[in-house]
Each structure stands twice: as structure tokens, then as C-alpha cells.
Amino acid sequence: MEIEQLFKTLKIVVILALIIGVIGAVFYLVYGFSLLWQATAASIITGFLMVMVFIFLALAVYLWLKLMLMKRELGKCRRELMAMSRKSVQHNENNE
């Protein structure tokens, strides 16, 4: 339950970050077109590169958080497996 809530919160944060990034990119492009119309090609390329940087940064943060959550879940599974293994060994020893 806790993991599901964390993933929902993470998705909301990523979506909000992407929306803010897209709005910032649009404002940057409008600013570039209005002030530097001679350098339209350069401003478009720069704008798209900045958008790509924000997208990859958001993706890196999302994947890092997902990795951390998976490691935590893996640790829980390992503890459960070790506990089940100990119970199985004790049960086998008692039956002998």
C-alpha cells in the first residue's frame, strides 16, 4: 500500500514537472522569437535542447526513485525469504 501511494505521488510530481517544463519551454521560444527573430534557427535548436535536458533530467530522477523503491522492496522480499527458509529448516529438523 505504501509503495502504491509513493508511486502515485511520484507520478504526480513528474507530470507537474513536465507541465512546468513545457510551459517554460514555450515561454522561452516565444521570448526567443520576439527578441531574436534573426536567430530563429538557433533559438529553436536551443529551446528544443533545453526541453530535452529537462525531460531527461525528470526521467533520470524518476528512474532513480524507482530504483530506490525497488531496492527497498527487494530487501523486504529477501528478509521474508530468509524467514521462510529458517522456518522450513526448523520444520525439517523437528520432523527428523
Side-chain angles (χ1 to χ4, degrees):
M1 189 66 151
E2 179 182 329
I3 298 295
E4 292 176 12
Q5 185 64 29
L6 287 173
F7 276 118
K8 286 180 184 178
T9 305
L10 179 64
K11 287 179 183 179
I12 291 171
V13 168
V14 169
I15 289 171
L16 287 175
L18 287 175
I19 290 171
I20 291 170
V22 168
I23 291 171
V26 168
F27 282 135
Y28 177 78
L29 289 174
V30 169
Y31 176 76
F33 282 125
S34 65
L35 291 180
L36 304 171
W37 62 272
Q38 298 92 350
T40 303
S43 65
I44 290 173
I45 291 172
T46 304
F48 286 139
L49 289 175
M50 287 183 66
V51 169
M52 286 176 52
V53 165
F54 284 125
I55 289 173
F56 287 134
L57 182 63
L59 183 64
V61 169
Y62 172 75
L63 292 174
W64 180 77
L65 287 172
K66 188 172 181 179
L67 177 67
M68 296 305 292
L69 291 172
M70 286 176 65
K71 282 183 179 180
R72 198 170 100 194
E73 193 68 28
L74 179 62
K76 289 179 184 178
C77 291
R78 282 183 180 168
R79 286 190 294 273
E80 288 178 16
L81 185 60
M82 291 300 286
M84 289 171 39
S85 176
R86 287 186 197 119
K87 286 180 184 178
S88 175
V89 168
Q90 289 175 355
H91 180 70
N92 287 341
E93 288 175 356
N94 290 339
N95 286 338
E96 290 177 359

